Amino acid sequence: MAEQQHSTAEHGRRGFEELVAEGVAVPTDGWDFSWFEGRATEARPSWGYARSKADRLADASAALDLQTGGGEVLDFALRAAPKAPALTVATEGWPPNVAKATALLRPRGVAVVASPEDAPLPFADATFDLVVSRHPVSPNWPEIARVLEPGGTYFAQHVGPRSVFDLVEHFLGPLAPEISADRHPDRERADAEAAGLEIVDLRAERLRVEFHDIAAVVHFLRKVVWMVPGFTVEAYEPQLRALHERIEAEGPFVAHSSRHLFDARKPKS
């Protein structure tokens, strides 16, 4: 019996190390999450942002996609839209994503502008009738209001408070509620209104997330770097191993993401 237990433990260690190595090897540029198929799942919000975005683009004449990542969501929306705006521009702050988004979106006539997330937008006042964004790090409401023309719309899906904190707290321990207060939809509503925007619609949902193996956890934390700042396998090896053993014994690790839909308008006068 002891020999059999030792053999099983050796196999478990091999499995852990191989899975971790696989999670480390996957490139993290862009916002294509197709690698997670079969390894992790996330329920989607009921409003179907990407398809709704396509409908908004079809009605726009000049559109700006903020923090486009690798351009994947904008590319999908443009392909799904019955017609494209006469002008579409995207911004992105991370150099690897700038290159990836440019390669993907340039054939669709979209200009990708390298612009840091915390910098003023490099566009004239009232340039766009539609500004869109999926999961902006921190919306710059005064700048969004400035570049929108009167009557223009901001249509975006934001990450809400304490999103996937079930996983984050496994690595960092319990976190104070105020840590994610800046992502609360009520606070963002107040900030948007302070910038002069009118809220047309604001909806929030919490959604089930499942991680089926430790490779998915490693890749997720490397890709979404603000979840566990400074994450490395070496620094968090004990927590990773404990989570691997928990998944092996109990099945997928369940967490909950938080999303809200923003539909805001700049008054015409």
Side-chain angles (χ1 to χ4, degrees):
M1 179 65 71
E3 183 177 349
Q4 182 178 1
Q5 289 174 341
H6 176 75
S7 174
T8 301
E10 287 292 323
H11 175 76
R13 279 197 292 272
R14 268 199 316 276
F16 170 77
E17 290 159 1
E18 290 169 3
L19 287 167
V20 165
E22 189 172 356
V24 168
V26 185
T28 58
D29 57 322
W31 286 115
D32 179 5
F33 284 76
S34 59
W35 179 87
F36 286 101
E37 185 173 352
R39 309 188 94 115
T41 60
E42 179 181 359
R44 297 301 180 195
S46 61
W47 49 77
Y49 178 71
R51 294 197 176 276
S52 297
K53 183 174 183 173
D55 294 338
R56 299 299 181 103
L57 288 167
D59 292 333
S61 58
L64 170 63
D65 188 45
L66 295 175
Q67 300 178 33
T68 195
E72 298 89 351
V73 178
L74 179 58
D75 178 66
F76 172 88
L78 287 170
R79 285 188 284 109
K83 65 182 182 68
L87 171 68
T88 305
V89 181
T91 66
E92 175 56 34
W94 192 42
N97 276 349
V98 172
K100 184 168 185 177
T102 299
L104 182 62
L105 296 173
R106 185 176 180 181
R108 299 199 173 278
V110 178
V112 178
V113 178
S115 178
E117 295 158 358
D118 56 354
L121 294 173
F123 309 108
D125 296 358
T127 300
F128 304 98
D129 61 323
L130 177 66
V131 175
V132 292
S133 189
R134 181 180 179 272
H135 302 174
V137 175
S138 180
N140 188 330
W141 295 108
E143 283 294 283
I144 291 168
R146 182 183 65 79
V147 301
L148 275 173
E149 67 178 33
T153 294
Y154 175 72
F155 184 72
Q157 179 175 291
H158 292 190
V159 176
R162 301 185 69 80
S163 188
V164 201
F165 267 34
D166 327 58
L167 179 66
V168 172
E169 291 184 331
H170 173 82
F171 291 88
L172 300 182
L175 299 174
E178 60 268 20
I179 284 178
S180 60
D182 59 334
R183 290 184 176 270
H184 196 283
D186 291 343
R187 178 169 178 174
E188 292 194 340
R189 172 196 287 271
D191 291 343
E193 290 175 338
L197 300 177
E198 298 174 344
I199 307 304
V200 177
D201 192 13
L202 177 55
R203 300 182 238 168
E205 293 182 2
R206 287 190 67 79
L207 305 155
R208 184 181 176 94
V209 180
E210 294 185 357
F211 294 91
H212 293 258
D213 65 32
I214 203 64
V217 173
V218 169
H219 182 47
F220 178 78
L221 294 179
R222 291 177 58 243
K223 192 175 186 73
V224 190
V225 295
W226 53 87
M227 287 292 178
V228 179
F231 172 81
T232 64
V233 168
E234 293 74 19
Y236 289 97
E237 192 274 344
Q239 293 94 328
L240 286 168
R241 189 175 292 277
L243 187 54
H244 167 71
E245 293 172 356
R246 177 175 169 178
I247 292 171
E248 290 288 296
E250 301 177 10
F253 179 83
V254 177
H256 297 85
S257 65
S258 179
R259 302 285 184 263
H260 49 275
L261 180 72
F262 246 102
D263 190 350
R265 181 188 301 122
K266 183 175 180 177
K268 290 186 177 181
S269 59

